[in-house]
CSV table of all heavy atoms in Angstrom, one decimal:
chain,number,residue,atom,x,y,z
A,159,GLY,N,-68.2,-51.8,40.4
A,159,GLY,CA,-68.5,-50.9,39.3
A,159,GLY,C,-69.2,-49.6,39.8
A,159,GLY,O,-69.6,-48.8,38.9
A,160,MET,N,-69.2,-49.4,41.1
A,160,MET,CA,-69.9,-48.2,41.6
A,160,MET,C,-69.0,-47.4,42.5
A,160,MET,O,-68.2,-48.0,43.3
A,160,MET,CB,-71.1,-48.7,42.5
A,160,MET,CG,-72.0,-49.7,41.8
A,160,MET,SD,-73.0,-49.0,40.5
A,160,MET,CE,-74.3,-48.2,41.5
A,161,ILE,N,-69.0,-46.1,42.4
A,161,ILE,CA,-68.1,-45.3,43.1
A,161,ILE,C,-68.8,-44.0,43.7
A,161,ILE,O,-69.9,-43.7,43.3
A,161,ILE,CB,-66.9,-44.8,42.3
A,161,ILE,CG1,-67.4,-44.0,41.0
A,161,ILE,CG2,-66.0,-46.0,41.9
A,161,ILE,CD1,-66.2,-43.4,40.2
A,162,THR,N,-68.1,-43.4,44.5
A,162,THR,CA,-68.5,-42.0,45.0
A,162,THR,C,-67.3,-41.1,44.8
A,162,THR,O,-66.2,-41.5,45.0
A,162,THR,CB,-69.0,-42.0,46.4
A,162,THR,OG1,-69.5,-40.7,46.8
A,162,THR,CG2,-67.9,-42.4,47.4
A,163,ILE,N,-67.6,-39.9,44.5
A,163,ILE,CA,-66.5,-38.9,44.4
A,163,ILE,C,-66.5,-38.0,45.6
A,163,ILE,O,-67.5,-37.7,46.2
A,163,ILE,CB,-66.8,-38.0,43.1
A,163,ILE,CG1,-66.9,-38.8,41.9
A,163,ILE,CG2,-65.7,-36.9,43.0
A,163,ILE,CD1,-65.6,-39.6,41.5
A,164,GLU,N,-65.3,-37.6,46.0
A,164,GLU,CA,-65.1,-36.8,47.2
A,164,GLU,C,-65.6,-37.5,48.5
A,164,GLU,O,-66.4,-37.0,49.2
A,164,GLU,CB,-65.8,-35.4,47.1
A,164,GLU,CG,-65.3,-34.6,45.9
A,164,GLU,CD,-63.9,-34.0,46.1
A,164,GLU,OE1,-63.4,-34.0,47.3
A,164,GLU,OE2,-63.3,-33.6,45.1
A,165,PRO,N,-65.1,-38.8,48.7
A,165,PRO,CA,-65.6,-39.5,49.9
A,165,PRO,C,-65.2,-38.9,51.2
A,165,PRO,O,-64.1,-38.2,51.3
A,165,PRO,CB,-64.9,-40.9,49.7
A,165,PRO,CG,-63.7,-40.6,48.9
A,165,PRO,CD,-64.1,-39.5,48.0
A,166,ALA,N,-66.1,-39.0,52.2
A,166,ALA,CA,-65.8,-38.4,53.5
A,166,ALA,C,-65.6,-39.6,54.5
A,166,ALA,O,-66.3,-40.6,54.4
A,166,ALA,CB,-66.9,-37.5,53.9
A,167,GLY,N,-64.8,-39.3,55.5
A,167,GLY,CA,-64.6,-40.4,56.5
A,167,GLY,C,-63.8,-41.6,56.0
A,167,GLY,O,-63.2,-41.5,55.0
A,168,THR,N,-63.9,-42.7,56.8
A,168,THR,CA,-63.3,-43.9,56.4
A,168,THR,C,-63.9,-44.5,55.2
A,168,THR,O,-65.2,-44.7,55.2
A,168,THR,CB,-63.3,-44.9,57.6
A,168,THR,OG1,-62.7,-44.3,58.7
A,168,THR,CG2,-62.5,-46.2,57.2
A,169,ALA,N,-63.2,-44.8,54.2
A,169,ALA,CA,-63.7,-45.4,52.9
A,169,ALA,C,-62.8,-46.3,52.3
A,169,ALA,O,-61.6,-46.3,52.6
A,169,ALA,CB,-64.1,-44.2,52.0
A,170,THR,N,-63.3,-47.2,51.4
A,170,THR,CA,-62.4,-48.2,50.7
A,170,THR,C,-62.9,-48.2,49.3
A,170,THR,O,-64.0,-47.8,48.9
A,170,THR,CB,-62.5,-49.6,51.3
A,170,THR,OG1,-63.9,-50.0,51.3
A,170,THR,CG2,-62.1,-49.6,52.8
A,171,ILE,N,-62.1,-48.9,48.5
A,171,ILE,CA,-62.4,-49.1,47.1
A,171,ILE,C,-61.7,-50.4,46.6
A,171,ILE,O,-60.5,-50.6,47.0
A,171,ILE,CB,-62.2,-47.9,46.2
A,171,ILE,CG1,-62.7,-48.2,44.7
A,171,ILE,CG2,-60.7,-47.5,46.2
A,171,ILE,CD1,-62.7,-46.9,43.9
A,172,THR,N,-62.3,-51.2,45.8
A,172,THR,CA,-61.6,-52.4,45.3
A,172,THR,C,-60.5,-52.0,44.2
A,172,THR,O,-60.7,-51.0,43.5
A,172,THR,CB,-62.6,-53.4,44.6
A,172,THR,OG1,-63.0,-52.9,43.3
A,172,THR,CG2,-63.8,-53.6,45.5
A,173,ARG,N,-59.5,-52.8,44.2
A,173,ARG,CA,-58.4,-52.5,43.2
A,173,ARG,C,-59.0,-52.6,41.8
A,173,ARG,O,-58.5,-51.9,40.9
A,173,ARG,CB,-57.3,-53.5,43.4
A,173,ARG,CG,-56.4,-53.2,44.7
A,173,ARG,CD,-55.3,-54.1,44.9
A,173,ARG,NE,-54.3,-53.6,45.9
A,173,ARG,CZ,-54.5,-53.8,47.2
A,173,ARG,NH1,-55.5,-54.5,47.6
A,173,ARG,NH2,-53.6,-53.2,48.0
A,174,GLN,N,-59.9,-53.6,41.5
A,174,GLN,CA,-60.4,-53.7,40.2
A,174,GLN,C,-61.2,-52.4,39.8
A,174,GLN,O,-61.2,-52.0,38.7
A,174,GLN,CB,-61.4,-54.9,40.1
A,174,GLN,CG,-62.0,-55.1,38.7
A,174,GLN,CD,-61.0,-55.2,37.6
A,174,GLN,OE1,-60.3,-56.2,37.5
A,174,GLN,NE2,-60.8,-54.2,36.7
A,175,ASP,N,-62.0,-51.8,40.7
A,175,ASP,CA,-62.7,-50.6,40.4
A,175,ASP,C,-61.7,-49.5,40.2
A,175,ASP,O,-62.0,-48.6,39.3
A,175,ASP,CB,-63.6,-50.2,41.6
A,175,ASP,CG,-64.9,-51.1,41.6
A,175,ASP,OD1,-65.4,-51.5,40.5
A,175,ASP,OD2,-65.3,-51.5,42.7
A,176,VAL,N,-60.6,-49.4,40.9
A,176,VAL,CA,-59.6,-48.4,40.6
A,176,VAL,C,-59.0,-48.6,39.2
A,176,VAL,O,-58.8,-47.6,38.4
A,176,VAL,CB,-58.4,-48.5,41.7
A,176,VAL,CG1,-57.3,-47.5,41.3
A,176,VAL,CG2,-59.0,-48.0,43.0
A,177,ALA,N,-58.7,-49.9,38.8
A,177,ALA,CA,-58.2,-50.1,37.5
A,177,ALA,C,-59.2,-49.7,36.4
A,177,ALA,O,-58.8,-49.1,35.4
A,177,ALA,CB,-57.9,-51.6,37.4
A,178,SER,N,-60.5,-49.9,36.7
A,178,SER,CA,-61.5,-49.5,35.7
A,178,SER,C,-61.5,-47.9,35.6
A,178,SER,O,-61.7,-47.4,34.5
A,178,SER,CB,-62.9,-50.0,36.2
A,178,SER,OG,-62.9,-51.4,36.1
A,179,VAL,N,-61.4,-47.2,36.7
A,179,VAL,CA,-61.4,-45.8,36.7
A,179,VAL,C,-60.1,-45.3,35.9
A,179,VAL,O,-60.2,-44.4,35.1
A,179,VAL,CB,-61.4,-45.2,38.1
A,179,VAL,CG1,-61.1,-43.7,38.1
A,179,VAL,CG2,-62.8,-45.4,38.7
A,180,LEU,N,-59.0,-45.9,36.2
A,180,LEU,CA,-57.8,-45.5,35.5
A,180,LEU,C,-57.9,-45.7,34.0
A,180,LEU,O,-57.5,-44.8,33.2
A,180,LEU,CB,-56.6,-46.3,36.0
A,180,LEU,CG,-56.1,-46.0,37.4
A,180,LEU,CD1,-55.1,-47.1,37.8
A,180,LEU,CD2,-55.5,-44.6,37.5
A,181,ALA,N,-58.5,-46.8,33.6
A,181,ALA,CA,-58.7,-47.1,32.1
A,181,ALA,C,-59.6,-46.1,31.5
A,181,ALA,O,-59.4,-45.6,30.4
A,181,ALA,CB,-59.2,-48.5,32.0
A,182,ARG,N,-60.7,-45.8,32.2
A,182,ARG,CA,-61.7,-44.8,31.6
A,182,ARG,C,-61.2,-43.4,31.6
A,182,ARG,O,-61.6,-42.6,30.8
A,182,ARG,CB,-63.0,-44.9,32.4
A,182,ARG,CG,-63.8,-46.2,32.2
A,182,ARG,CD,-65.2,-46.2,32.7
A,182,ARG,NE,-66.0,-45.2,32.0
A,182,ARG,CZ,-66.7,-45.5,31.0
A,182,ARG,NH1,-66.7,-46.7,30.4
A,182,ARG,NH2,-67.5,-44.5,30.4
A,183,ALA,N,-60.3,-43.1,32.5
A,183,ALA,CA,-59.7,-41.7,32.6
A,183,ALA,C,-59.0,-41.3,31.3
A,183,ALA,O,-58.9,-40.2,31.0
A,183,ALA,CB,-58.8,-41.6,33.8
A,184,VAL,N,-58.4,-42.3,30.6
A,184,VAL,CA,-57.6,-42.0,29.5
A,184,VAL,C,-58.4,-41.2,28.4
A,184,VAL,O,-57.9,-40.2,27.9
A,184,VAL,CB,-57.1,-43.3,28.8
A,184,VAL,CG1,-56.4,-43.0,27.5
A,184,VAL,CG2,-56.1,-44.0,29.8
A,185,GLU,N,-59.6,-41.6,28.1
A,185,GLU,CA,-60.4,-40.9,27.1
A,185,GLU,C,-61.5,-40.1,27.7
A,185,GLU,O,-62.4,-39.7,27.0
A,185,GLU,CB,-60.9,-41.9,26.1
A,185,GLU,CG,-59.8,-42.5,25.2
A,185,GLU,CD,-60.3,-43.3,24.0
A,185,GLU,OE1,-60.5,-42.6,23.0
A,185,GLU,OE2,-60.5,-44.5,24.1
A,186,SER,N,-61.4,-39.8,29.0
A,186,SER,CA,-62.5,-39.0,29.6
A,186,SER,C,-62.4,-37.6,29.3
A,186,SER,O,-61.4,-37.1,28.7
A,186,SER,CB,-62.4,-39.2,31.1
A,186,SER,OG,-61.3,-38.5,31.7
A,187,ASP,N,-63.4,-36.8,29.7
A,187,ASP,CA,-63.4,-35.3,29.5
A,187,ASP,C,-62.6,-34.6,30.7
A,187,ASP,O,-62.7,-33.4,30.8
A,187,ASP,CB,-64.8,-34.8,29.4
A,187,ASP,CG,-65.4,-35.2,28.1
A,187,ASP,OD1,-64.7,-35.4,27.1
A,187,ASP,OD2,-66.7,-35.4,28.1
A,188,CYS,N,-62.0,-35.4,31.5
A,188,CYS,CA,-61.2,-34.8,32.6
A,188,CYS,C,-59.8,-34.4,32.1
A,188,CYS,O,-59.1,-35.1,31.5
A,188,CYS,CB,-61.0,-35.8,33.8
A,188,CYS,SG,-62.5,-36.4,34.5
A,189,HIS,N,-59.5,-33.1,32.4
A,189,HIS,CA,-58.2,-32.6,31.9
A,189,HIS,C,-57.6,-31.7,33.0
A,189,HIS,O,-58.2,-30.8,33.5
A,189,HIS,CB,-58.5,-31.7,30.7
A,189,HIS,CG,-59.1,-32.5,29.5
A,189,HIS,ND1,-58.3,-33.3,28.7
A,189,HIS,CD2,-60.3,-32.5,29.1
A,189,HIS,CE1,-59.2,-33.9,27.8
A,189,HIS,NE2,-60.4,-33.4,28.0
A,190,ARG,N,-56.4,-32.1,33.4
A,190,ARG,CA,-55.7,-31.5,34.5
A,190,ARG,C,-56.6,-31.4,35.7
A,190,ARG,O,-56.8,-30.3,36.3
A,190,ARG,CB,-55.1,-30.1,34.1
A,190,ARG,CG,-54.1,-30.2,32.9
A,190,ARG,CD,-53.4,-28.9,32.6
A,190,ARG,NE,-52.6,-28.4,33.7
A,190,ARG,CZ,-51.3,-28.7,33.9
A,190,ARG,NH1,-50.7,-29.6,33.1
A,190,ARG,NH2,-50.6,-28.2,34.9
A,191,GLU,N,-57.0,-32.6,36.1
A,191,GLU,CA,-58.0,-32.7,37.2
A,191,GLU,C,-57.5,-33.8,38.2
A,191,GLU,O,-56.8,-34.7,37.8
A,191,GLU,CB,-59.4,-33.0,36.8
A,191,GLU,CG,-60.1,-31.9,36.0
A,191,GLU,CD,-61.5,-32.3,35.6
A,191,GLU,OE1,-62.1,-33.0,36.4
A,191,GLU,OE2,-61.9,-31.9,34.5
A,192,THR,N,-57.9,-33.7,39.4
A,192,THR,CA,-57.7,-34.7,40.4
A,192,THR,C,-59.1,-35.3,40.8
A,192,THR,O,-60.0,-34.6,41.1
A,192,THR,CB,-57.1,-34.2,41.7
A,192,THR,OG1,-55.8,-33.6,41.4
A,192,THR,CG2,-56.9,-35.2,42.8
A,193,ILE,N,-59.2,-36.7,40.8
A,193,ILE,CA,-60.4,-37.4,41.1
A,193,ILE,C,-60.2,-38.1,42.4
A,193,ILE,O,-59.3,-39.0,42.5
A,193,ILE,CB,-60.8,-38.3,40.0
A,193,ILE,CG1,-61.0,-37.6,38.6
A,193,ILE,CG2,-62.1,-39.1,40.3
A,193,ILE,CD1,-61.2,-38.5,37.5
A,194,LYS,N,-61.0,-37.8,43.4
A,194,LYS,CA,-61.0,-38.5,44.7
A,194,LYS,C,-62.1,-39.5,44.7
A,194,LYS,O,-63.3,-39.1,44.4
A,194,LYS,CB,-61.1,-37.5,45.8
A,194,LYS,CG,-60.1,-36.4,45.9
A,194,LYS,CD,-60.4,-35.4,47.0
A,194,LYS,CE,-59.4,-34.3,47.0
A,194,LYS,NZ,-58.1,-34.7,47.6
A,195,LEU,N,-61.9,-40.8,45.0
A,195,LEU,CA,-62.9,-41.7,44.9
A,195,LEU,C,-62.9,-42.9,45.9
A,195,LEU,O,-61.8,-43.2,46.4
A,195,LEU,CB,-63.0,-42.3,43.5
A,195,LEU,CG,-61.9,-43.3,43.1
A,195,LEU,CD1,-62.3,-44.2,42.0
A,195,LEU,CD2,-60.7,-42.5,42.6
A,196,ALA,N,-64.0,-43.5,46.1
A,196,ALA,CA,-64.2,-44.7,46.9
A,196,ALA,C,-65.4,-45.4,46.3
A,196,ALA,O,-66.1,-44.9,45.5
A,196,ALA,CB,-64.5,-44.3,48.4
A,197,ASN,N,-65.6,-46.6,46.8
A,197,ASN,CA,-66.8,-47.3,46.3
A,197,ASN,C,-68.0,-46.6,46.9
A,197,ASN,O,-68.0,-46.1,48.0
A,197,ASN,CB,-66.8,-48.8,46.8
A,197,ASN,CG,-65.9,-49.7,45.9
A,197,ASN,OD1,-65.1,-50.5,46.4
A,197,ASN,ND2,-66.1,-49.6,44.6
A,198,GLY,N,-69.1,-46.6,46.1
A,198,GLY,CA,-70.3,-45.9,46.4
A,198,GLY,C,-71.5,-46.3,45.6
A,198,GLY,O,-71.6,-47.6,45.4
A,199,ALA,N,-72.3,-45.4,45.2
A,199,ALA,CA,-73.6,-45.8,44.6
A,199,ALA,C,-73.8,-45.3,43.2
A,199,ALA,O,-74.8,-45.5,42.6
A,199,ALA,CB,-74.7,-45.2,45.5
A,200,VAL,N,-72.7,-44.7,42.6
A,200,VAL,CA,-72.8,-44.2,41.2
A,200,VAL,C,-72.0,-45.0,40.2
A,200,VAL,O,-70.8,-45.3,40.5
A,200,VAL,CB,-72.3,-42.7,41.2
A,200,VAL,CG1,-72.5,-42.2,39.7
A,200,VAL,CG2,-73.1,-41.9,42.2
Side-chain angles (χ1 to χ4, degrees):
M160 310 288 281
I161 60 174
T162 185
I163 301 298
E164 301 287 341
T168 303
T170 63
I171 186 168
T172 75
R173 286 182 168 86
Q174 179 59 70
D175 286 322
V176 171
S178 296
V179 169
L180 290 169
R182 291 190 65 89
V184 172
E185 293 193 83
S186 72
D187 289 330
C188 298
H189 301 283
R190 296 187 68 84
E191 293 183 35
T192 298
I193 302 173
K194 302 171 182 287
L195 71 155
N197 278 132
V200 181

